[in-house]
Amino acid sequence: MASFDLTVLGSSGGPADGKTCAFLLKPSGLTFDQILDGQMNDCLLCVDAGTGISGFCEILLLHLRNRLSQLQKDDIDILSYYKDSLEISDYTSIETVVPFGNPREEAVASMGVFEYASKLFNLISAYLITHSHIDHVSGLLVNSPAFSQPVITSNSPRPRRVSLTSSKKIYSIPSAIDNIQNHLYNDLVWPDLTAAHTGSSISLMKLEPEQLVQLNCWFGVETFVISHGIIPHEHKDEMFESSAYLITLKPPKDDGGASADSESSFPSKLLFFGDVESDSTSISPRNHRIWREVAPLVVSGQLRAVVIECSNYNLPKTVPLFGHMTPTHLISEFVTLAKECSLLSGAAYHPLDGLHVLITHVKETDSSCDPRKIILQQLRELNDSHDLRLNFTIALPGLTYKI
Ligand SMILES: [Zn+2]
Ligand SMILES: [Zn+2]
């Protein structure tokens, strides 16, 4: 099966700014240098965009300083915020890789760091946005001008923008696309760089729930609407919608040798949740349906990992969670998945044994104690007490996980 390389540009749940969730996906067989050299605009996918080009520049700088292959906790801001952070390896159960080719001097150092990052971001053909909250789109908004450039022609006194790429599609659920268009790219909060007259390469695309959509040559997606807190109204509160994406990685027929093994035509799957509340606390529980859908993929080994939030460590029940999860809630979701798998596989005693779970969106706290350390400890204790045998990893920016 083909593997995903998941590069974390940002993974914080705030309130630290500039570090929020964004993940770059590519096929493992291709390095960023190869993608840039070959101008391959059909094999990168960005899931959420709370952090953008600047997050990638930080990774490039670590690479140029030859630190990416031996990252220390001091290299990662969100770990150095706290006094008691663990070593990187303590947060990590998934194999990590350096996503650039060698020797490092050639491709990256031949141009400026920002130039390399901008050119690579111009090759991202598809963004998947889980929901319209600012911490998941701010990088995309600020980066948008880099996807086109202003020109002045002799017969046009006003500058207009020309597209640098053939097309960049921003995909999300219909409610999020409406929010992004009406409240962000509206010429008030931010210039409408999706408008045709700007020479834009950016298109906003609605994903209908539970339909399969091919995003580019390598990646396809199936979309699920999930619940993420409420929008208070005077008469009747409304659920705020987020989404989960079941992402398929399948090599195109001619993949230029990126897939090395004969089984690579068998698609790999990654289940990616945006911000989400637990069915156990939701007035509109929508997660169980997803677990039922992916249970056969868990049993067959096709599901490589679940990427999901755990924003806070366990808190007293009276503390509002604003549509997020704690370790107790997250484990209750995986208990549901285990039951669905057992219904299918009958005798399988530990159906989730070895399944990778990548934790995102941990909220920073004004304490000396690292919330990631506490969350990981609580998840591992609950994992043991329920005998689920999941492999937990806390997503850290700067790292590339091979999934
Ligand atoms: Zn949110
Ligand atoms: Zn968020």
Side-chain angles (χ1 to χ4, degrees), residues 40-74:
M40 302 165 76
N41 64 357
D42 57 2
C43 56
L44 286 175
L45 172 65
C46 195
V47 185
D48 275 341
T51 307
I53 294 174
S54 69
F56 195 81
C57 284
E58 286 178 24
I59 296 173
L60 281 171
L61 289 170
L62 287 169
H63 182 56
L64 283 177
R65 291 168 191 152
N66 205 16
R67 298 196 60 80
L68 210 51
S69 55
Q70 48 192 359
L71 277 176
Q72 306 292 317
K73 65 179 176 182
D74 291 346

Side-chain angles (χ1 to χ4, degrees), residues 152-165:
I152 302 175
T153 54
S154 55
N155 56 0
S156 165
R158 283 177 30 191
R160 67 184 177 82
R161 291 181 168 272
V162 294
S163 165
L164 292 177
T165 57

Side-chain angles (χ1 to χ4, degrees), residues 131 133 136 228 275:
H131 62 300
H133 279 162
H136 297 256
H228 172 34
D275 294 2

Side-chain angles (χ1 to χ4, degrees), residues 368-385:
S368 62
C369 304
D370 180 3
R372 291 170 181 79
K373 178 178 163 181
I374 302 170
I375 285 172
L376 189 60
Q377 197 174 353
Q378 293 180 343
L379 282 172
R380 287 183 172 156
E381 283 169 10
L382 289 161
N383 191 33
D384 288 347
S385 61

Side-chain angles (χ1 to χ4, degrees), residues 97-344:
V97 293
V98 175
F100 301 96
N102 284 312
R104 66 195 164 87
E105 290 79 11
E106 278 185 11
V108 181
S110 65
M111 57 181 94
V113 164
F114 193 80
E115 183 186 6
Y116 183 104
S118 300
K119 285 184 170 168
L120 192 86
F121 266 62
N122 265 293
L123 294 171
I124 299 172
S125 57
Y127 278 77
L128 270 181
I129 302 295
T130 60
H131 62 300
S132 56
H133 279 162
I134 285 283
D135 58 322
H136 297 256
V137 294
S138 54
L140 171 64
L141 290 171
V142 176
N143 290 166
S144 315
F147 306 145
S148 60
Q149 65 179 11
V151 292
I152 302 175
T153 54
S154 55
N155 56 0
S156 165
R158 283 177 30 191
R160 67 184 177 82
R161 291 181 168 272
V162 294
S163 165
L164 292 177
T165 57
S166 52
S167 132
K168 194 174 296 293
K169 293 192 166 70
I170 316 297
Y171 292 93
S172 194
I173 48 175
S175 60
I177 291 292
D178 286 341
N179 291 342
I180 291 168
Q181 180 71 78
N182 297 335
H183 303 298
L184 298 174
Y185 284 120
N186 64 359
D187 284 331
L188 296 171
V189 174
W190 195 245
D192 183 7
L193 295 172
T194 68
H197 69 83
T198 63
S200 168
S201 62
I202 304 171
S203 318
L204 298 177
M205 311 287 292
K206 291 182 178 177
L207 287 170
E208 294 304 325
E210 291 163 52
Q211 284 185 4
L212 284 168
V213 174
Q214 194 65 31
L215 301 172
N216 57 28
C217 286
W218 286 80
F219 292 105
V221 70
E222 184 179 358
T223 305
F224 302 92
V225 173
I226 52 181
S227 298
H228 172 34
I230 55 169
I231 310 168
H233 289 301
E234 200 173 331
H235 299 297
K236 188 174 184 297
D237 291 343
E238 186 187 339
M239 284 307 306
F240 184 78
E241 292 182 348
S242 176
S243 53
Y245 295 119
L246 183 58
I247 300 171
T248 300
L249 174 70
K250 187 177 180 191
K253 285 207 169 71
D254 177 17
D255 67 359
S259 58
D261 58 78
S262 59
E263 287 182 286
S264 59
S265 58
F266 190 52
S268 305
K269 306 267 188 180
L270 181 64
L271 180 60
F272 212 113
F273 280 83
D275 294 2
V276 61
E277 63 196 28
S278 168
D279 279 0
S280 63
T281 58
S282 181
I283 57 168
S284 178
R286 295 192 254 204
N287 299 334
H288 194 144
R289 191 232 171 294
I290 302 173
W291 299 129
R292 195 178 301 133
E293 175 93 7
V294 302
L297 302 171
V298 175
V299 171
S300 69
Q302 215 173 330
L303 187 74
R304 307 302 294 258
V306 178
V307 184
I308 192 164
E309 73 136 282
C310 190
S311 292
N312 303 287
Y313 42 77
N314 284 328
L315 296 163
K317 281 189 175 162
T318 48
V319 177
L321 293 171
F322 303 104
H324 293 289
M325 291 215 271
T326 65
T328 297
H329 298 133
L330 187 54
I331 290 293
S332 76
E333 295 295 327
F334 282 103
V335 167
T336 303
L337 175 60
K339 285 178 184 162
E340 287 296 329
C341 293
S342 295
L343 287 174
L344 290 174

